[in-house]
Amino acid sequence: FKGHFPRYPLLPGIVQIEIALFCISMRLNKEAKLAEIVKTKFIKPALPDTELCVSLSGTGEIFDITVKDANEIYSHMRLRVAV
């Protein structure tokens, strides 16, 4: 968090993408590698101590991912993966 923006730490977008890939890999029971970022929208900065939840839908190679907390959405992504 500290290294991304001095005096304004937040969770970098690339880390949110890596978290999404981890969740996809867990869903598929095999390593998923990023083939393409089809679409991303980072809506709100994820600050330290924010408890985030990742929801995903999709099968095969295209997945839709939402990163949120109990009240707000932080990002939406559509990723194409290679397994």
Side-chain angles (χ1 to χ4, degrees), residues 5-80:
F5 288 109
R7 296 184 300 275
Y8 191 70
L10 57 86
L11 184 65
I14 189 65
V15 174
Q16 292 182 50
I17 292 170
E18 287 293 330
I19 291 168
L21 287 171
F22 174 80
C23 292
I24 293 168
S25 294
M26 296 300 291
R27 164 82 52 94
L28 297 175
N29 283 328
K30 55 182 145 181
E31 183 180 4
K33 295 183 181 187
L34 183 62
E36 177 185 6
I37 298 172
V38 178
K39 180 179 176 184
T40 59
K41 176 86 175 180
F42 297 103
I43 300 163
K44 180 178 176 164
L47 303 176
D49 300 323
T50 304
E51 286 191 37
L52 297 174
C53 174
V54 178
S55 63
L56 63 102
S57 62
T59 57
E61 62 181 38
I62 299 285
F63 288 87
D64 291 304
I65 299 99
T66 301
V67 178
K68 59 187 177 179
D69 67 11
N71 302 307
E72 298 181 273
I73 294 173
Y74 290 80
S75 63
H76 287 293
M77 296 171 244
R78 176 170 283 170
L79 304 178
R80 181 183 311 274

